[in-house]
Amino acid sequence: MRVANLQGRAAFITPENLAIDIERASSGALPHDPMQLFERWAQVRKLAATVHGGVPFAAADLDAPSPLPRQIFGIGLNYREHAVETGAPIPDTPLTFTKFASAVNKPFGDIPIEVSTTDWEIELVVVIGSGGRNIAESAAWDAVAGLCVGQDISDRVLQRATQPPQFNLGKSRRGYAPFGPWLVDATTVSNRDALALTCTLNGEVVQQSNSSDLIFSIPQLVAYLSSIVELCPGDAIFTGTPSGVGGARTPPRFLTSGDVLVSTIDGVGSITNRCV
Ligand code: ZN
């Protein structure tokens, strides 16, 4: 099952890449607002099994699958090779920061380049369904609505502008949190713990890895975060980026206007962001 946000209305995306409006398909039993569906995800799954048909849609009309999350978590240094390339030790606790919700961008949205130190980070993004507190690792996947592709765009100078560093603002400039193109129901992804990620910049592969290399797995992250804060329906977790970011290169390489970033996770989808 794939659920997209088409101009503010939740829609199933069929295997033929056609859209089915969820409110209409449910004869009004389910709301059109994607944010109101997460706590009723069991109903959404049930409905998905009964629908057929659909209409074509334009990728440009896709909005973030959770457009107004109450919380967005970012996990730093969650791939071994990325921790090594930044010179940081392998963490024994998830390094957690926030991307403020005003940074949410469309899956095919432009990224404004406001500073010369803007970097890319392809990430597997988890969107929470029912949520809650103290979710056990063994129950974590049940609390997840779905998976999507994200870019944890980062201003590397702002990220480390203070001592000690506070990543939050450097991760939250305008348009810095594109994700989508839709949510893939994790219960329908057989290899959900081993997904291939590829990020290209102007056609050149800059990041290539597999989510099986995550230091903290998705169930571990859900259990850890929910032991501290309440996870709310629609919350997004950017689970960390593999090696190959621009700031860790010699010399460093950053995004400039005109660059095109394509981020793909096999079995999940692909997003494209143009730098402007
Ligand atoms: Zn990141």
Side-chain angles (χ1 to χ4, degrees):
M1 177 181 85
R2 297 184 292 176
V3 176
N5 173 4
L6 272 172
Q7 296 185 303
R9 296 188 66 89
F12 294 120
I13 305 299
T14 70
E16 297 78 27
N17 284 321
L18 299 172
I20 299 173
D21 187 273
I22 288 180
E23 183 192 42
R24 285 186 212 120
S26 70
S27 304
L30 287 169
H32 74 271
D33 180 356
M35 294 311 300
Q36 291 178 23
L37 286 182
F38 294 114
E39 47 201 323
R40 302 166 76 174
W41 207 247
Q43 265 177 280
V44 176
R45 280 188 180 126
K46 221 176 200 175
L47 177 67
T50 69
V51 296
H52 47 83
V55 294
F57 63 94
D61 289 339
L62 289 165
D63 210 332
S66 178
L68 289 168
R70 267 182 269 182
Q71 305 174 106
I72 304 174
F73 303 91
I75 308 299
L77 307 176
N78 203 16
Y79 286 80
R80 261 163 243 283
E81 277 179 36
H82 177 58
V84 168
E85 78 176 348
T86 63
I90 306 292
D92 49 20
T93 302
L95 190 169
T96 308
F97 55 88
T98 188
K99 291 176 82 66
F100 293 108
S102 58
V104 168
N105 197 348
K106 297 178 179 193
F108 295 87
D110 291 344
I111 299 167
I113 303 297
E114 297 172 314
V115 292
S116 61
T117 50
T118 309
D119 204 349
W120 61 85
E121 293 192 355
I122 186 177
E123 307 209 356
L124 176 62
V125 176
V126 174
V127 174
I128 297 298
S130 48
R133 288 187 186 269
N134 298 313
I135 299 166
E137 249 182 69
S138 57
W141 278 114
D142 298 334
V144 170
L147 301 171
C148 53
V149 187
Q151 268 290 341
D152 175 18
I153 303 293
S154 308
D155 173 349
R156 294 298 181 208
V157 167
L158 184 55
Q159 182 183 348
R160 298 179 196 285
T162 61
Q163 204 47 251
Q166 290 286 345
F167 288 6
N168 308 339
L169 288 174
K171 300 281 191 172
S172 298
R173 285 190 186 273
R174 184 161 48 143
Y176 269 25
F179 62 105
W182 39 62
L183 279 181
V184 178
D185 183 356
T187 61
T188 61
V189 181
S190 56
N191 58 337
R192 63 191 181 187
D193 293 302
L195 298 164
L197 301 86
T198 307
C199 174
T200 68
L201 177 58
N202 304 328
E204 175 194 342
V205 175
V206 288
Q207 290 183 281
Q208 196 158 42
S209 190
N210 191 291
S211 69
S212 61
D213 289 339
L214 281 170
I215 296 169
F216 298 101
S217 67
I218 288 167
Q220 285 173 319
L221 292 175
V222 168
Y224 173 71
L225 293 172
S226 72
S227 75
I228 301 162
V229 296
E230 180 174 354
L231 292 181
C232 304
D235 280 358
I237 306 171
F238 282 64
T239 58
T241 201
S243 62
V245 300
R249 289 163 188 253
T250 315
R253 180 173 170 188
F254 294 113
L255 296 168
T256 57
S257 185
D259 282 347
V260 177
L261 210 47
V262 178
S263 312
T264 305
I265 300 182
D266 288 358
V268 178
S270 187
I271 66 173
T272 299
N273 304 101
R274 204 166 48 98
C275 300
V276 296

